[in-house]
Structures are given as structure tokens and as C-alpha cells.
Amino acid sequence: MRFLTLSLAAAATALLLGAEAAPCDTAKCQFPACVCPSVKPPKGLDPTTVPQFVTLTFDDAIQSQTVPVTSSLMTPHRNPNGCPIKSTWFAQTMYSDFSLIQQWYAAGNEVADHTMTHVGTPPAGKLLLIIPMHAIMDDSNPPKAYSMDVHLSGTPEAVSGWLRNNFNRHYQGTRQPFGIFLHPVHVGNATNLYNEFFSWAVAQKDVWFVTNHQLLEWIKNPVPASELAKQPYMKCGLPAVGKEICNGLDNLKTGGKINEKLLQTCNFPSGPWSTCYGCPKTPPTPADPVPERVDAVGTANYRTPVNLTCAMEWWDPVAAQCLCTSSNCTFTDISVLPTTTSGGVKPTTSTKPNNNNSANVMTGSWSAIGAAAAAAAAIAMQMF
Ligand SMILES: *[C@@H]1O[C@H](CO)[C@@H](O)[C@H](O)[C@H]1NC(C)=O
Ligand SMILES: *[C@@H]1O[C@H](CO)[C@@H](O)[C@H](O)[C@H]1NC(C)=O
Ligand SMILES: *[C@@H]1O[C@H](CO)[C@@H](O)[C@H](O)[C@H]1NC(C)=O
Ligand SMILES: *[C@@H]1O[C@H](CO)[C@@H](O)[C@H](O)[C@H]1NC(C)=O
């Protein structure tokens, strides 16, 4: 369960029942900070020219058991500009390894707030944003909708068909972003099922797997698919730090373990985890999210938290030094363009779409996302 599942399930049900979405005040909701819900792309763009965004997201703890699952689903695929596909992780701190959270973020992915302890009902006033979790429809009549871990709801053959049919409804329709929402612990033997679908999807023209943050950047400044590759937020560059620092990256490209000799290991009853930024005396909790460090300021092993004037990947917490000022940051482009020059393949429908069912079913809204743009941001987590 993710932070917003309850409200989103309610919203999805409302859509299925044909209920009206909450009215949007066009006087208050002004572009680009806010966009009223619409099934059409923003700014009147022709759907055939806009990118088909795919938002693959993961939920819960970022730990040594879950990271390999996400790697096996992401590493094989690249976006049209040759950059690795990106994803948003709705993470909790409980059971997470903080150094792995940092590595996920350093690789250009997004860390989103799933509450620290995975509470079912966040405190009032905390439910600020809604990222639509439109459902994947099966092919029954009337269709049943699944929001998360869709592979658990049918045979591999059936689920593959649903994924392709639902994707096609978006891709051949008004290109509303298409979401795949997974709990890594539940992926199990479905890795191949998803990898086959992802390979099929990214092979089609103008299909991009993005973080929610990247999607919001696009909604604030919508450009045709032909111009997406050159947007700064879609590029992938490895900071050319030039020496090994504890920043979640393989700075010297050794192909070895990241930060291996620089991490500090913190032993707690719930299990050990590592960090670049000094072990706290007690595990962080909502009541005390930033506990005192074991090694105090001025002592030998003290790690200095990221300086607010420095980007995390350039910060050396051992030397308390920012290795780059905006004037001299250099990046190594890590994009790998495919060797073929194919402009993509035409989408195919693997099973006959049931038009009767799909007629009244919204494929998600272009800009329930936009409405959330002002509030949404990758949270700046206090890193340990
Ligand atoms: C995973 O294994 C279960 C049990 O053997 C099987 O029923 C299911 O079809 C498999 N799923 C996939 C996607 O291979
Ligand atoms: C950030 O770090 C630099 C040294 O790299 C230091 O001069 C500066 O005062 C620090 N700024 C803050 C806000 O701590
Ligand atoms: C950027 O400039 C600073 C200060 O001159 C220097 O310490 C640092 O090594 C430089 N970094 C890069 C990546 O060139
Ligand atoms: C469409 O679905 C409705 C309700 O399930 C059914 O009554 C109707 O006959 C179907 N129409 C077609 C053309 O299949």
C-alpha cells in the first residue's frame, strides 16, 4: 500500500462509475503552476506529437533485497536519448538502507515520500498531492481495474495482454501517461513478464520511462516528443568528480562496489544499514527524524551533512567540501544510443481490445498530474 492508495482508489472508482472529478477553478488554477484535469495533452498539443510517458514506480523500503529487483527491471532498458530509464520510489525509512536510498537518487531516480514508517493513515493535512494511479483494465465485461502489482491478478498470458491493450489505449489515444506500479517484494517470477512488456513499449516511437518529477517538468513546459531528448531534465550525466567520495556513485568507474570503504555501518535491532553521513545514536523516527550522531562535530569520524549550497553528488562528507561550483561542474554523458536507426515500430494489439468496455473508461487524466505540479517535488530527504 502506498501513501495515497486510499484516496486514489476512491478516485479510480469515481472514474469507473462515471462520477465527475472535483471541479477545478480555472481562475485559481493557472498554468504552469496548475493545470485543470483534461483528457487532452496540455497547451493544446496534438497527441500524436507528444511523448508517451510511462511512469514505473516502486513502493516501500529501499534495501538489499529490493534494489536488485528494480535493477533487473530497469537496467535492460533505455529511453530514446540513450539514457537509462528512470523511476520514482515511494520510499519509507523503516527497514531502508540509507546508503541505498542515496544510490537510487544519485543514479538520477526519484525518492518520494511514503511516510517514514508506512502508516496507513497519514496525519490530517499531509495528503497534499495526488499522483493518479489509473487502473489497468482486464478484458472482462464489465472490466475490472487493477492499480498495483497487476501480475498478481491473472495468468502471465492474460496480464501481458492487458498491459499491451491498456498501453495501446493511451498510445493510440490522447497519450495520457501510463503507470506501472509495483512492490518489489511482490514481483517474484514476473520479472520476465514486465521486461518483455517494457522492451516492447520502449521499442515504439516516442516512449519514455520517466520519474514523476520529470513528468512534471514536462507538464510545466510541454514540448513535442522530437524536442524531449534535449531537455536538461532528460539528460544523463555522471558527475566527473575525479576522486572517490561518498556520494552514492561509482566515481572512478571501477565497476566495483559504490562507496565501499567510505560507508559507515550502523547496527540497529531492525538490522544494520549503511550511510555516508554518520550513524545516528538511535534509529530515526517521526518523533525524532534527525537524531544526534554517534560521532559529534569536531571528532575524528564526523561526517558533514550535505551543504545546502552544494548538490549531493558533488559533496564530500569526509572532507566537508563541495567539489564543484556551478561554474566548473563537468559531467560525463552516459547515454548509449541504440545502434539501429529505426524510428520505432508500430504498436500492435496482442489481443482484441474490447471497445464496448473501454468506451466509457477514462485512461487516466492528463492533468490530475498537472494540478499536483505545484505541490509535488522529490522530497529533499535528510540523509543519514
Ligand atoms: C509464477 O509462478 C506461479 C506459481 O508457480 C505461476 O502460477 C505463475 O504463472 C508464475 N508467473 C509468471 C509471471 O511467470
Ligand atoms: C558550504 O561549504 C563551504 C565549503 O565547501 C563553506 O565555505 C560554506 O560556508 C558552507 N555553507 C554552509 C551554508 O554551510
Ligand atoms: C571546481 O573548482 C573548485 C574551486 O576552484 C575546485 O576545488 C574543484 O576541484 C573544481 N572541480 C572540478 C570538477 O573541476
Ligand atoms: C456492451 O456492454 C453492455 C453492458 O455490459 C451490453 O449490454 C451491450 O450489449 C454491449 N454492447 C456490445 C456492442 O457488445
Side-chain angles (χ1 to χ4, degrees), residues 151 154-156 189-191 193:
H151 60 280
T155 64
N189 60 352
T191 310
L193 185 163

Side-chain angles (χ1 to χ4, degrees), residues 10 29 37 90 93 167 178 199 204 238 246 250 297 301 358-359:
C29 181
F90 289 82
T93 56
F167 177 90
F178 183 71
S199 297
Q204 303 187 45
L238 186 68
C246 208
D250 186 9
V297 187
N301 291 322
S358 49

Side-chain angles (χ1 to χ4, degrees), residues 172-324:
Q172 295 164 354
T174 51
R175 302 227 166 149
Q176 297 99 333
F178 183 71
I180 304 279
F181 310 117
L182 301 176
H183 290 96
V185 290
H186 292 161
V187 169
N189 60 352
T191 310
N192 287 347
L193 185 163
Y194 285 113
N195 273 328
E196 280 169 20
F197 172 68
F198 296 164
S199 297
W200 173 86
V202 291
Q204 303 187 45
K205 197 170 182 309
D206 300 333
V207 174
W208 296 74
F209 278 57
V210 293
T211 63
N212 290 325
H213 177 76
Q214 288 173 315
L215 176 55
L216 291 170
E217 287 299 306
W218 185 84
I219 286 182
K220 286 191 275 180
N221 178 25
V223 294
S226 56
E227 285 171 37
L228 189 58
K230 60 179 185 226
Q231 303 306 311
Y233 57 86
M234 290 309 309
K235 295 194 169 154
C236 48
L238 186 68
V241 175
K243 63 174 186 171
E244 192 62 12
I245 59 170
C246 208
N247 63 351
L249 292 167
D250 186 9
N251 295 293
L252 299 181
K253 295 195 216 83
T254 55
K257 287 189 179 164
I258 295 168
N259 300 336
E260 194 180 21
K261 301 217 172 70
L262 297 170
L263 289 173
Q264 294 181 334
T265 301
C266 319
N267 289 301
F268 290 113
S270 62
W273 45 263
S274 300
T275 174
C276 287
Y277 301 106
C279 291
K281 287 182 173 168
T282 55
T285 62
D288 187 10
V290 192
E292 221 177 293
R293 268 38 173 204
V294 171
D295 298 306
V297 187
T299 61
N301 291 322
Y302 179 69
R303 300 291 179 89
T304 308
V306 181
N307 183 315
L308 286 177
T309 60
C310 191
M312 182 271 282
E313 57 271 35
W314 295 100
W315 180 252
D316 179 351
V318 176
Q321 190 187 11
C322 191
L323 292 171
C324 161

